Amino acid sequence: AQSVTQPDIHITVSEGASLELRCNYSYGATPYLFWYVQSPGQGLQLLLKYFSGDTLVQGIKGFEAEFKRSQSSFNLRKPSVHWSDAAEYFCAVGARAAGNKLTFGGGTRVLVKP
Amino acid sequence: EAGVAQSPRYKIIEKRQSVAFWCNPISGHATLYWYQQILGQGPKLLIQFQNNGVVDDSQLPKDRFSAERLKGVDSTLKIQPAKLEDSAVYLCASSSMTGRVEAFFGQGTRLTVV
């Protein structure tokens, strides 16, 4: 069965500082990995995805993530945070063998200090 | 390209009442998902359709929840009777059968059961 762990429930960063959100997954084969962002009252917006190939993936809004198979991790990073990045971030894992359904982590809420 | 449409956006009902949510997926997407997102948690899959057939409904509380996808396009999720613990955001998502598993989400329906 697939599972996703996001160890940090809340993270507070200063505007302009770097951000890293952790994600660990459990799945027998190589999964598909995703990061979604959710602003208050909104649905989920896809930031980036990993299917195969280059383990460093670039996404929208200046985000990137690195897939590390040896650590079963897919951490999200942004070099310089903007106030508009305050939101909740979800890591998700999917696989064709699992019917393509997504399993989500519990989310990390990011607060941005001015 | 139009996104996933959901209605209503908000619904407040009393416990033991019934409620229905509607979802119109992206045109041509054969796979449709309903997720439940309880406040402070990541989305949890309730049911997955492939065209008008159910692929996975293992997490659907079938004593009170039902869903259908007639004609393999629109879908309706119903709760009858509602309980207080059903208060959540109900997210609909769709994806293409071909290619990869990327899912596109609607804005969700926020249900409050009082």
Side-chain angles (χ1 to χ4, degrees), chain A residues 41-42 49 96 99-101, chain B residues 9 48 56 99 101-103 107:
Chain A
Q42 300 299 311
K49 60 202 175 198
R96 188 167 294 282
N100 292 346
K101 65 184 179 186
Chain B
R9 286 295 312 277
Q48 176 185 351
D56 185 347
V101 308
E102 180 176 346
Q107 290 196 300

Side-chain angles (χ1 to χ4, degrees), chain B:
Chain B
E1 177 183 80
V4 176
Q6 289 188 248
S7 67
R9 286 295 312 277
Y10 306 92
K11 191 75 177 179
I12 301 174
I13 62 171
E14 295 182 350
K15 59 184 179 184
R16 292 187 290 274
Q17 284 188 325
S18 63
V19 64
F21 313 127
W22 172 83
C23 173
N24 186 14
I26 291 173
S27 177
H29 279 190
T31 306
L32 185 146
Y33 314 82
W34 282 102
Y35 286 84
Q36 180 193 55
Q37 185 178 19
I38 293 172
L39 186 65
Q41 299 181 17
K44 182 187 78 173
L45 181 70
L46 290 175
I47 189 167
Q48 176 185 351
F49 291 95
Q50 192 91 300
N51 296 308
N52 60 349
V54 175
V55 174
D56 185 347
D57 64 356
S58 57
Q59 301 288 328
L60 188 74
K62 298 180 186 64
D63 58 333
R64 297 182 302 104
F65 286 65
S66 65
E68 61 183 10
R69 192 184 183 197
L70 301 176
K71 302 180 182 178
V73 182
D74 293 6
S75 177
T76 303
L77 176 69
K78 296 179 181 177
I79 308 175
Q80 182 179 15
K83 293 185 175 181
L84 295 177
E85 57 262 35
D86 297 331
S87 294
V89 175
Y90 291 85
L91 294 163
C92 179
S94 69
S95 67
S96 173
M97 259 185 72
T98 58
R100 292 155 172 176
V101 308
E102 180 176 346
F104 297 84
F105 284 80
Q107 290 196 300
T109 296
R110 180 177 297 278
L111 173 68
T112 303
V113 183
V114 298

Side-chain angles (χ1 to χ4, degrees), chain A residues 35-88:
Chain A
W35 275 99
Y36 285 87
V37 61
Q38 186 177 40
S39 298
Q42 300 299 311
L44 296 166
Q45 182 183 20
L46 181 67
L47 283 176
L48 48 76
K49 60 202 175 198
Y50 172 79
F51 293 119
S52 64
D54 192 348
T55 56
L56 184 64
V57 293
Q58 302 297 321
I60 62 171
K61 303 185 180 186
F63 284 93
E64 66 177 25
E66 186 171 13
F67 169 60
K68 293 186 177 180
R69 183 190 306 273
S70 61
Q71 298 177 20
S72 297
S73 70
F74 189 56
N75 293 349
L76 181 72
R77 298 192 293 256
K78 185 169 184 177
S80 177
V81 168
H82 187 261
W83 64 266
S84 60
D85 293 322
E88 186 136 26

